[in-house]
Tab-separated table of all heavy atoms in Angstrom:
chain	number	residue	atom	x	y	z
A	11	MET	N	-26.405	30.565	30.692
A	11	MET	CA	-25.371	29.655	30.258
A	11	MET	C	-25.307	29.649	28.737
A	11	MET	O	-26.326	29.692	28.068
A	11	MET	CB	-25.658	28.232	30.720
A	11	MET	CG	-25.612	28.018	32.201
A	11	MET	SD	-23.895	27.883	32.665
A	11	MET	CE	-24.008	28.244	34.367
A	12	GLY	N	-24.089	29.560	28.221
A	12	GLY	CA	-23.885	29.535	26.775
A	12	GLY	C	-24.003	28.116	26.227
A	12	GLY	O	-23.962	27.126	26.953
A	13	LYS	N	-24.166	28.046	24.941
A	13	LYS	CA	-24.254	26.743	24.293
A	13	LYS	C	-22.864	26.136	24.188
A	13	LYS	O	-21.873	26.840	23.989
A	13	LYS	CB	-24.839	26.871	22.892
A	13	LYS	CG	-26.294	27.269	22.886
A	13	LYS	CD	-26.801	27.295	21.471
A	13	LYS	CE	-28.249	27.675	21.422
A	13	LYS	NZ	-28.749	27.703	20.052
A	14	VAL	N	-22.804	24.832	24.285
A	14	VAL	CA	-21.543	24.120	24.141
A	14	VAL	C	-21.481	23.583	22.712
A	14	VAL	O	-22.348	22.841	22.282
A	14	VAL	CB	-21.434	22.964	25.152
A	14	VAL	CG1	-20.161	22.179	24.936
A	14	VAL	CG2	-21.526	23.493	26.569
A	15	ASN	N	-20.458	24.003	21.985
A	15	ASN	CA	-20.290	23.538	20.610
A	15	ASN	C	-19.431	22.289	20.618
A	15	ASN	O	-18.285	22.323	21.056
A	15	ASN	CB	-19.635	24.599	19.743
A	15	ASN	CG	-20.553	25.785	19.530
A	15	ASN	OD1	-21.760	25.640	19.558
A	15	ASN	ND2	-19.977	26.951	19.328
A	16	LYS	N	-19.984	21.219	20.151
A	16	LYS	CA	-19.229	19.971	20.030
A	16	LYS	C	-18.955	19.718	18.564
A	16	LYS	O	-19.854	19.824	17.737
A	16	LYS	CB	-20.011	18.791	20.614
A	16	LYS	CG	-20.185	18.867	22.108
A	16	LYS	CD	-20.863	17.624	22.620
A	16	LYS	CE	-21.027	17.694	24.112
A	16	LYS	NZ	-21.708	16.504	24.633
A	17	LYS	N	-17.719	19.402	18.280
A	17	LYS	CA	-17.374	19.079	16.893
A	17	LYS	C	-17.792	17.652	16.591
A	17	LYS	O	-17.557	16.748	17.376
A	17	LYS	CB	-15.873	19.217	16.655
A	17	LYS	CG	-15.380	20.626	16.687
A	17	LYS	CD	-13.930	20.686	16.316
A	17	LYS	CE	-13.427	22.103	16.290
A	17	LYS	NZ	-12.015	22.176	15.921
A	18	LYS	N	-18.434	17.492	15.466
A	18	LYS	CA	-18.817	16.154	15.032
A	18	LYS	C	-17.667	15.557	14.245
A	18	LYS	O	-17.056	16.226	13.416
A	18	LYS	CB	-20.066	16.203	14.157
A	18	LYS	CG	-21.300	16.616	14.903
A	18	LYS	CD	-22.500	16.566	13.995
A	18	LYS	CE	-23.743	17.011	14.731
A	18	LYS	NZ	-24.916	16.970	13.875
A	19	LYS	N	-17.369	14.304	14.514
A	19	LYS	CA	-16.323	13.622	13.747
A	19	LYS	C	-16.865	13.296	12.366
A	19	LYS	O	-17.994	12.845	12.217
A	19	LYS	CB	-15.902	12.328	14.436
A	19	LYS	CG	-15.174	12.560	15.730
A	19	LYS	CD	-14.705	11.261	16.311
A	19	LYS	CE	-13.963	11.489	17.600
A	19	LYS	NZ	-13.518	10.237	18.198
A	20	SER	N	-16.054	13.545	11.384
A	20	SER	CA	-16.496	13.237	10.034
A	20	SER	C	-16.411	11.725	9.811
A	20	SER	O	-15.639	11.016	10.445
A	20	SER	CB	-15.644	13.964	9.002
A	20	SER	OG	-14.328	13.481	9.050
A	21	VAL	N	-17.199	11.258	8.893
A	21	VAL	CA	-17.242	9.836	8.594
A	21	VAL	C	-15.902	9.370	8.038
A	21	VAL	O	-15.426	8.281	8.341
A	21	VAL	CB	-18.383	9.532	7.593
A	21	VAL	CG1	-18.395	8.075	7.201
A	21	VAL	CG2	-19.719	9.939	8.195
A	22	ALA	N	-15.252	10.204	7.255
A	22	ALA	CA	-13.979	9.833	6.637
A	22	ALA	C	-12.881	9.641	7.680
A	22	ALA	O	-12.012	8.796	7.521
A	22	ALA	CB	-13.560	10.886	5.635
A	23	SER	N	-12.902	10.402	8.748
A	23	SER	CA	-11.854	10.267	9.754
A	23	SER	C	-12.043	8.999	10.588
A	23	SER	O	-11.092	8.492	11.161
A	23	SER	CB	-11.829	11.491	10.667
A	23	SER	OG	-13.010	11.553	11.441
A	24	GLU	N	-13.262	8.498	10.669
A	24	GLU	CA	-13.518	7.288	11.445
A	24	GLU	C	-13.185	6.026	10.670
A	24	GLU	O	-12.847	5.011	11.260
A	24	GLU	CB	-14.982	7.252	11.879
A	24	GLU	CG	-15.331	8.350	12.868
A	24	GLU	CD	-16.795	8.337	13.244
A	24	GLU	OE1	-17.527	7.427	12.802
A	24	GLU	OE2	-17.211	9.242	13.970
A	25	GLN	N	-13.285	6.075	9.349
A	25	GLN	CA	-13.009	4.899	8.541
A	25	GLN	C	-11.547	4.888	8.138
A	25	GLN	O	-10.995	5.903	7.744
A	25	GLN	CB	-13.873	4.906	7.284
A	25	GLN	CG	-15.339	4.800	7.577
A	25	GLN	CD	-16.166	4.914	6.321
A	25	GLN	OE1	-15.655	5.281	5.279
A	25	GLN	NE2	-17.440	4.605	6.413
A	26	LYS	N	-10.938	3.736	8.249
A	26	LYS	CA	-9.545	3.614	7.838
A	26	LYS	C	-9.476	2.717	6.619
A	26	LYS	O	-10.108	1.683	6.561
A	26	LYS	CB	-8.704	3.026	8.958
A	26	LYS	CG	-8.665	3.912	10.168
A	26	LYS	CD	-7.438	3.687	10.947
A	26	LYS	CE	-7.420	4.683	12.089
A	26	LYS	NZ	-6.158	4.853	12.662
A	27	ARG	N	-8.686	3.146	5.637
A	27	ARG	CA	-8.512	2.361	4.428
A	27	ARG	C	-7.343	1.418	4.607
A	27	ARG	O	-6.365	1.737	5.277
A	27	ARG	CB	-8.250	3.279	3.245
A	27	ARG	CG	-9.450	4.162	2.930
A	27	ARG	CD	-9.233	4.938	1.697
A	27	ARG	NE	-9.095	4.008	0.579
A	27	ARG	CZ	-8.704	4.360	-0.621
A	27	ARG	NH1	-8.402	5.605	-0.874
A	27	ARG	NH2	-8.594	3.475	-1.584
A	28	ALA	N	-7.454	0.280	4.005
A	28	ALA	CA	-6.367	-0.690	4.049
A	28	ALA	C	-5.188	-0.164	3.258
A	28	ALA	O	-5.349	0.380	2.169
A	28	ALA	CB	-6.833	-2.025	3.485
A	29	GLN	N	-3.993	-0.301	3.802
A	29	GLN	CA	-2.787	0.190	3.155
A	29	GLN	C	-1.919	-0.985	2.730
A	29	GLN	O	-1.726	-1.922	3.494
A	29	GLN	CB	-1.981	1.071	4.113
A	29	GLN	CG	-2.677	2.347	4.475
A	29	GLN	CD	-2.683	3.327	3.330
A	29	GLN	OE1	-1.702	3.457	2.619
A	29	GLN	NE2	-3.781	4.009	3.135
A	30	MET	N	-1.390	-0.908	1.518
A	30	MET	CA	-0.455	-1.917	1.047
A	30	MET	C	0.946	-1.538	1.509
A	30	MET	O	1.273	-0.362	1.600
A	30	MET	CB	-0.481	-2.004	-0.478
A	30	MET	CG	-1.764	-2.553	-1.031
A	30	MET	SD	-1.708	-2.744	-2.808
A	30	MET	CE	-2.261	-1.132	-3.317
A	31	LYS	N	1.748	-2.528	1.802
A	31	LYS	CA	3.122	-2.268	2.197
A	31	LYS	C	3.984	-2.071	0.951
A	31	LYS	O	3.730	-2.646	-0.090
A	31	LYS	CB	3.665	-3.433	3.019
A	31	LYS	CG	2.984	-3.573	4.355
A	31	LYS	CD	3.560	-4.702	5.138
A	31	LYS	CE	2.820	-4.833	6.459
A	31	LYS	NZ	3.262	-6.000	7.213
A	32	ILE	N	5.006	-1.247	1.094
A	32	ILE	CA	5.954	-1.015	0.015
A	32	ILE	C	7.044	-2.078	0.122
A	32	ILE	O	7.669	-2.215	1.175
A	32	ILE	CB	6.578	0.389	0.105
A	32	ILE	CG1	5.495	1.465	0.107
A	32	ILE	CG2	7.568	0.611	-1.022
A	32	ILE	CD1	4.688	1.541	-1.166
A	33	VAL	N	7.237	-2.835	-0.942
A	33	VAL	CA	8.256	-3.890	-0.941
A	33	VAL	C	9.330	-3.556	-1.963
A	33	VAL	O	9.088	-2.859	-2.939
A	33	VAL	CB	7.646	-5.282	-1.234
A	33	VAL	CG1	6.663	-5.683	-0.146
A	33	VAL	CG2	6.958	-5.308	-2.571
A	34	THR	N	10.516	-4.064	-1.726
A	34	THR	CA	11.641	-3.803	-2.622
A	34	THR	C	11.805	-4.958	-3.602
A	34	THR	O	11.091	-5.955	-3.549
A	34	THR	CB	12.928	-3.609	-1.809
A	34	THR	OG1	13.119	-4.750	-0.987
A	34	THR	CG2	12.833	-2.378	-0.929
A	35	SER	N	12.774	-4.821	-4.473
A	35	SER	CA	12.950	-5.785	-5.553
A	35	SER	C	13.334	-7.174	-5.043
A	35	SER	O	12.980	-8.176	-5.666
A	35	SER	CB	14.006	-5.291	-6.529
A	35	SER	OG	15.235	-5.131	-5.864
A	36	ASP	N	14.021	-7.263	-3.912
A	36	ASP	CA	14.396	-8.580	-3.412
A	36	ASP	C	13.175	-9.376	-2.977
A	36	ASP	O	13.129	-10.595	-3.122
A	36	ASP	CB	15.416	-8.463	-2.279
A	36	ASP	CG	14.928	-7.617	-1.122
A	36	ASP	OD1	13.982	-6.831	-1.320
A	36	ASP	OD2	15.508	-7.730	-0.029
A	37	VAL	N	12.158	-8.710	-2.478
A	37	VAL	CA	10.911	-9.389	-2.099
A	37	VAL	C	10.143	-9.804	-3.347
A	37	VAL	O	9.614	-10.917	-3.415
A	37	VAL	CB	10.054	-8.477	-1.199
A	37	VAL	CG1	8.728	-9.126	-0.870
A	37	VAL	CG2	10.806	-8.136	0.079
A	38	CYS	N	10.096	-8.936	-4.336
A	38	CYS	CA	9.398	-9.256	-5.592
A	38	CYS	C	10.068	-10.419	-6.317
A	38	CYS	O	9.399	-11.226	-6.952
A	38	CYS	CB	9.361	-8.042	-6.513
A	38	CYS	SG	8.116	-6.839	-6.066
A	39	ALA	N	11.383	-10.501	-6.236
A	39	ALA	CA	12.114	-11.542	-6.955
A	39	ALA	C	11.803	-12.934	-6.414
A	39	ALA	O	11.806	-13.905	-7.169
A	39	ALA	CB	13.609	-11.273	-6.878
A	40	VAL	N	11.514	-13.073	-5.132
A	40	VAL	CA	11.266	-14.389	-4.543
A	40	VAL	C	9.785	-14.640	-4.276
A	40	VAL	O	9.431	-15.630	-3.647
A	40	VAL	CB	12.064	-14.567	-3.232
A	40	VAL	CG1	13.549	-14.528	-3.497
A	40	VAL	CG2	11.661	-13.537	-2.204
A	41	CYS	N	8.927	-13.774	-4.783
A	41	CYS	CA	7.492	-13.910	-4.555
A	41	CYS	C	6.958	-15.176	-5.234
A	41	CYS	O	7.303	-15.477	-6.372
A	41	CYS	CB	6.767	-12.681	-5.096
A	41	CYS	SG	5.003	-12.692	-4.764
A	42	LYS	N	6.068	-15.889	-4.512
A	42	LYS	CA	5.493	-17.121	-5.055
A	42	LYS	C	4.410	-16.825	-6.086
A	42	LYS	O	4.151	-17.637	-6.962
A	42	LYS	CB	4.897	-17.957	-3.927
A	42	LYS	CG	5.937	-18.482	-2.969
A	42	LYS	CD	5.294	-19.285	-1.863
A	42	LYS	CE	6.330	-19.773	-0.875
A	42	LYS	NZ	5.728	-20.488	0.246
A	43	THR	N	3.746	-15.681	-5.958
A	43	THR	CA	2.688	-15.305	-6.890
A	43	THR	C	2.996	-13.927	-7.463
A	43	THR	O	2.454	-12.922	-7.024
A	43	THR	CB	1.316	-15.275	-6.180
A	43	THR	OG1	1.425	-14.411	-5.050
A	43	THR	CG2	0.876	-16.643	-5.755
A	44	PRO	N	3.878	-13.841	-8.458
A	44	PRO	CA	4.259	-12.536	-9.001
A	44	PRO	C	3.087	-11.853	-9.704
A	44	PRO	O	2.295	-12.495	-10.389
A	44	PRO	CB	5.381	-12.858	-9.975
A	44	PRO	CG	5.248	-14.300	-10.282
A	44	PRO	CD	4.564	-14.946	-9.117
A	45	CYS	N	2.991	-10.560	-9.510
A	45	CYS	CA	1.926	-9.779	-10.151
A	45	CYS	C	2.538	-8.900	-11.244
A	45	CYS	O	3.757	-8.765	-11.348
A	45	CYS	CB	1.215	-8.907	-9.114
A	45	CYS	SG	2.290	-7.740	-8.287
A	46	LYS	N	1.693	-8.313	-12.045
A	46	LYS	CA	2.163	-7.477	-13.153
A	46	LYS	C	2.954	-6.285	-12.637
A	46	LYS	O	3.989	-5.928	-13.191
A	46	LYS	CB	0.983	-7.010	-13.992
A	46	LYS	CG	1.397	-6.164	-15.189
A	46	LYS	CD	0.197	-5.714	-15.971
A	46	LYS	CE	0.522	-4.912	-17.189
A	46	LYS	NZ	1.645	-4.044	-17.161
A	47	ARG	N	2.481	-5.660	-11.573
A	47	ARG	CA	3.173	-4.491	-11.027
A	47	ARG	C	4.573	-4.855	-10.562
A	47	ARG	O	5.539	-4.145	-10.820
A	47	ARG	CB	2.365	-3.922	-9.869
A	47	ARG	CG	2.960	-2.669	-9.271
A	47	ARG	CD	2.198	-2.224	-8.061
A	47	ARG	NE	0.914	-1.664	-8.448
A	47	ARG	CZ	-0.074	-1.401	-7.597
A	47	ARG	NH1	0.075	-1.660	-6.323
A	47	ARG	NH2	-1.198	-0.900	-7.997
A	48	GLY	N	4.715	-5.995	-9.891
A	48	GLY	CA	6.022	-6.435	-9.414
A	48	GLY	C	6.957	-6.812	-10.546
A	48	GLY	O	8.150	-6.503	-10.516
A	49	LEU	N	6.420	-7.484	-11.572
A	49	LEU	CA	7.252	-7.860	-12.722
A	49	LEU	C	7.712	-6.633	-13.500
A	49	LEU	O	8.863	-6.574	-13.947
A	49	LEU	CB	6.478	-8.818	-13.626
A	49	LEU	CG	6.183	-10.199	-13.028
A	49	LEU	CD1	5.306	-10.995	-13.979
A	49	LEU	CD2	7.459	-10.927	-12.702
A	50	ASP	N	6.839	-5.633	-13.632
A	50	ASP	CA	7.233	-4.386	-14.294
A	50	ASP	C	8.322	-3.676	-13.498
A	50	ASP	O	9.249	-3.095	-14.065
A	50	ASP	CB	6.035	-3.465	-14.485
A	50	ASP	CG	5.064	-3.966	-15.535
A	50	ASP	OD1	5.463	-4.841	-16.346
A	50	ASP	OD2	3.913	-3.490	-15.539
A	51	TYR	N	8.210	-3.714	-12.185
A	51	TYR	CA	9.208	-3.092	-11.316
A	51	TYR	C	10.561	-3.781	-11.464
A	51	TYR	O	11.592	-3.117	-11.576
A	51	TYR	CB	8.711	-3.153	-9.876
A	51	TYR	CG	9.652	-2.585	-8.845
A	51	TYR	CD1	9.990	-1.246	-8.857
A	51	TYR	CD2	10.176	-3.389	-7.843
A	51	TYR	CE1	10.841	-0.719	-7.908
A	51	TYR	CE2	11.030	-2.870	-6.891
A	51	TYR	CZ	11.351	-1.531	-6.930
A	51	TYR	OH	12.191	-1.018	-5.986
A	52	LEU	N	10.563	-5.104	-11.495
A	52	LEU	CA	11.817	-5.845	-11.678
A	52	LEU	C	12.434	-5.543	-13.045
A	52	LEU	O	13.652	-5.396	-13.163
A	52	LEU	CB	11.579	-7.345	-11.524
A	52	LEU	CG	11.301	-7.834	-10.104
A	52	LEU	CD1	10.940	-9.310	-10.126
A	52	LEU	CD2	12.498	-7.578	-9.218
A	53	ARG	N	11.607	-5.447	-14.078
A	53	ARG	CA	12.093	-5.132	-15.412
A	53	ARG	C	12.684	-3.727	-15.450
A	53	ARG	O	13.701	-3.485	-16.082
A	53	ARG	CB	10.957	-5.262	-16.426
A	53	ARG	CG	11.423	-5.278	-17.860
A	53	ARG	CD	10.313	-5.624	-18.827
A	53	ARG	NE	9.521	-6.743	-18.332
A	53	ARG	CZ	8.186	-6.698	-18.143
A	53	ARG	NH1	7.512	-5.642	-18.438
A	53	ARG	NH2	7.539	-7.741	-17.683
A	54	HIS	N	12.070	-2.802	-14.728
A	54	HIS	CA	12.571	-1.427	-14.656
A	54	HIS	C	13.954	-1.383	-14.005
A	54	HIS	O	14.821	-0.625	-14.423
A	54	HIS	CB	11.593	-0.559	-13.862
A	54	HIS	CG	12.141	0.762	-13.439
A	54	HIS	ND1	12.323	1.802	-14.314
A	54	HIS	CD2	12.556	1.209	-12.225
A	54	HIS	CE1	12.824	2.836	-13.654
A	54	HIS	NE2	12.973	2.501	-12.387
A	55	LEU	N	14.167	-2.210	-13.003
A	55	LEU	CA	15.445	-2.207	-12.291
A	55	LEU	C	16.558	-2.914	-13.057
A	55	LEU	O	17.718	-2.832	-12.666
A	55	LEU	CB	15.285	-2.842	-10.913
A	55	LEU	CG	14.464	-2.015	-9.930
A	55	LEU	CD1	14.337	-2.742	-8.609
A	55	LEU	CD2	15.063	-0.645	-9.727
A	56	GLN	N	16.228	-3.597	-14.144
A	56	GLN	CA	17.243	-4.258	-14.965
A	56	GLN	C	18.095	-3.244	-15.733
A	56	GLN	O	19.219	-3.540	-16.106
A	56	GLN	CB	16.582	-5.212	-15.970
A	56	GLN	CG	15.846	-6.367	-15.319
A	56	GLN	CD	16.781	-7.365	-14.683
A	56	GLN	OE1	17.883	-7.567	-15.160
A	56	GLN	NE2	16.339	-7.983	-13.606
A	57	ALA	N	17.560	-2.056	-15.949
A	57	ALA	CA	18.279	-1.029	-16.710
A	57	ALA	C	19.471	-0.528	-15.903
A	57	ALA	O	19.397	-0.405	-14.683
A	57	ALA	CB	17.345	0.131	-17.032
A	58	PRO	N	20.586	-0.250	-16.572
A	58	PRO	CA	21.762	0.262	-15.873
A	58	PRO	C	21.473	1.622	-15.232
A	58	PRO	O	20.883	2.499	-15.851
A	58	PRO	CB	22.817	0.412	-16.967
A	58	PRO	CG	22.295	-0.304	-18.152
A	58	PRO	CD	20.828	-0.447	-17.993
A	59	GLY	N	21.860	1.771	-13.985
A	59	GLY	CA	21.680	3.032	-13.274
A	59	GLY	C	20.293	3.252	-12.714
A	59	GLY	O	19.995	4.329	-12.206
A	60	ALA	N	19.419	2.247	-12.773
A	60	ALA	CA	18.058	2.399	-12.275
A	60	ALA	C	18.063	2.414	-10.746
A	60	ALA	O	18.809	1.686	-10.099
A	60	ALA	CB	17.178	1.260	-12.769
A	61	VAL	N	17.231	3.267	-10.184
A	61	VAL	CA	17.092	3.366	-8.739
A	61	VAL	C	15.658	3.008	-8.387
A	61	VAL	O	14.718	3.562	-8.948
A	61	VAL	CB	17.416	4.790	-8.242
A	61	VAL	CG1	17.187	4.898	-6.753
A	61	VAL	CG2	18.840	5.159	-8.606
A	62	GLY	N	15.493	2.087	-7.461
A	62	GLY	CA	14.159	1.659	-7.073
A	62	GLY	C	13.773	2.188	-5.711
A	62	GLY	O	14.582	2.242	-4.799
A	63	GLN	N	12.526	2.605	-5.586
A	63	GLN	CA	12.008	3.095	-4.318
A	63	GLN	C	11.029	2.107	-3.692
A	63	GLN	O	10.516	2.356	-2.616
A	63	GLN	CB	11.299	4.435	-4.526
A	63	GLN	CG	12.194	5.518	-5.063
A	63	GLN	CD	13.266	5.916	-4.075
A	63	GLN	OE1	13.030	5.950	-2.874
A	63	GLN	NE2	14.449	6.196	-4.581
A	64	GLY	N	10.758	1.018	-4.368
A	64	GLY	CA	9.799	0.043	-3.882
A	64	GLY	C	8.500	0.142	-4.658
A	64	GLY	O	8.272	1.083	-5.418
A	65	VAL	N	7.653	-0.838	-4.443
A	65	VAL	CA	6.377	-0.895	-5.143
A	65	VAL	C	5.321	-1.414	-4.154
A	65	VAL	O	5.618	-2.266	-3.328
A	65	VAL	CB	6.486	-1.796	-6.404
A	65	VAL	CG1	6.775	-3.223	-6.068
A	65	VAL	CG2	5.271	-1.702	-7.259
A	66	PRO	N	4.075	-0.889	-4.186
A	66	PRO	CA	3.037	-1.397	-3.304
A	66	PRO	C	2.683	-2.841	-3.663
A	66	PRO	O	2.483	-3.165	-4.830
A	66	PRO	CB	1.846	-0.477	-3.555
A	66	PRO	CG	2.395	0.703	-4.244
A	66	PRO	CD	3.628	0.270	-4.950
A	67	CYS	N	2.603	-3.692	-2.684
A	67	CYS	CA	2.322	-5.110	-2.912
A	67	CYS	C	0.895	-5.431	-2.498
A	67	CYS	O	0.518	-5.225	-1.337
A	67	CYS	CB	3.308	-5.973	-2.123
A	67	CYS	SG	3.064	-7.734	-2.356
A	68	VAL	N	0.105	-5.954	-3.435
A	68	VAL	CA	-1.290	-6.280	-3.150
A	68	VAL	C	-1.422	-7.484	-2.216
A	68	VAL	O	-2.462	-7.679	-1.605
A	68	VAL	CB	-2.095	-6.529	-4.439
A	68	VAL	CG1	-2.162	-5.273	-5.271
A	68	VAL	CG2	-1.519	-7.668	-5.237
A	69	LEU	N	-0.378	-8.266	-2.098
A	69	LEU	CA	-0.424	-9.439	-1.229
A	69	LEU	C	-0.255	-9.079	0.237
A	69	LEU	O	-0.406	-9.931	1.098
A	69	LEU	CB	0.646	-10.447	-1.656
A	69	LEU	CG	0.520	-10.946	-3.099
A	69	LEU	CD1	1.679	-11.852	-3.443
A	69	LEU	CD2	-0.797	-11.660	-3.299
A	70	THR	N	0.062	-7.827	0.543
A	70	THR	CA	0.277	-7.417	1.924
A	70	THR	C	-0.903	-6.664	2.498
A	70	THR	O	-0.783	-6.004	3.532
A	70	THR	CB	1.533	-6.538	2.038
A	70	THR	OG1	1.358	-5.382	1.211
A	70	THR	CG2	2.768	-7.291	1.608
A	71	LEU	N	-2.065	-6.723	1.840
A	71	LEU	CA	-3.245	-6.064	2.379
A	71	LEU	C	-3.666	-6.742	3.679
A	71	LEU	O	-3.685	-7.979	3.758
A	71	LEU	CB	-4.398	-6.115	1.378
A	71	LEU	CG	-4.329	-5.128	0.230
A	71	LEU	CD1	-5.414	-5.450	-0.795
A	71	LEU	CD2	-4.493	-3.717	0.740
A	72	PRO	N	-4.015	-5.977	4.712
A	72	PRO	CA	-4.459	-6.584	5.966
A	72	PRO	C	-5.752	-7.369	5.768
A	72	PRO	O	-6.614	-6.975	4.982
A	72	PRO	CB	-4.705	-5.384	6.878
A	72	PRO	CG	-4.029	-4.243	6.239
A	72	PRO	CD	-3.935	-4.542	4.785
A	73	GLY	N	-5.874	-8.453	6.466
A	73	GLY	CA	-7.074	-9.271	6.377
A	73	GLY	C	-7.083	-10.254	5.255
A	73	GLY	O	-7.998	-11.045	5.103
A	74	ARG	N	-6.053	-10.247	4.439
A	74	ARG	CA	-5.978	-11.179	3.329
A	74	ARG	C	-5.446	-12.507	3.834
A	74	ARG	O	-4.395	-12.559	4.454
A	74	ARG	CB	-5.065	-10.627	2.232
A	74	ARG	CG	-4.922	-11.555	1.061
A	74	ARG	CD	-4.100	-10.888	-0.030
A	74	ARG	NE	-3.646	-11.843	-1.004
A	74	ARG	CZ	-4.357	-12.292	-2.014
A	74	ARG	NH1	-5.577	-11.871	-2.178
A	74	ARG	NH2	-3.861	-13.156	-2.876
A	75	LYS	N	-6.186	-13.546	3.593
A	75	LYS	CA	-5.749	-14.896	3.993
A	75	LYS	C	-4.907	-15.461	2.874
A	75	LYS	O	-5.261	-15.404	1.722
A	75	LYS	CB	-6.955	-15.810	4.235
A	75	LYS	CG	-7.964	-15.266	5.211
A	75	LYS	CD	-7.476	-15.367	6.606
A	75	LYS	CE	-8.589	-14.839	7.519
A	75	LYS	NZ	-8.246	-14.704	8.839
A	76	GLY	N	-3.771	-16.004	3.216
A	76	GLY	CA	-2.943	-16.490	2.127
A	76	GLY	C	-2.039	-17.499	2.584
A	76	GLY	O	-1.309	-18.239	2.346
């Protein structure tokens, strides 16, 4: 009988990192606790012709009590 090769799962594939949600300017504008990243994003969108793709929000981390 031949040996059976089993692949070991790497530690990195088993651990999942917390992901922040991408929020748009309308969410940042009404935020109760504005952060520097959100305020910079709003300031960037004030320029004529600016296009926003969203910004990661630290308040949307899973497990955060708020």
Side-chain angles (χ1 to χ4, degrees):
M11 294 281 160
K13 292 183 180 180
V14 176
N15 292 332
K16 293 185 180 179
K17 290 185 178 180
K18 292 183 181 180
K19 292 184 179 179
S20 65
V21 177
S23 67
E24 293 178 4
Q25 296 176 348
K26 297 206 176 198
R27 295 186 63 190
Q29 294 287 320
M30 292 184 272
K31 293 181 182 175
I32 304 296
V33 297
T34 56
S35 60
D36 57 341
V37 176
C38 282
V40 296
C41 184
K42 294 179 182 177
T43 55
C45 60
K46 182 181 182 326
R47 183 185 287 168
L49 293 175
D50 289 343
Y51 178 64
L52 288 174
R53 194 171 316 124
H54 166 74
L55 290 179
Q56 296 290 328
V61 177
Q63 299 294 323
V65 64
C67 181
V68 296
L69 301 176
T70 59
L71 282 171
R74 179 175 165 82
K75 306 285 182 188

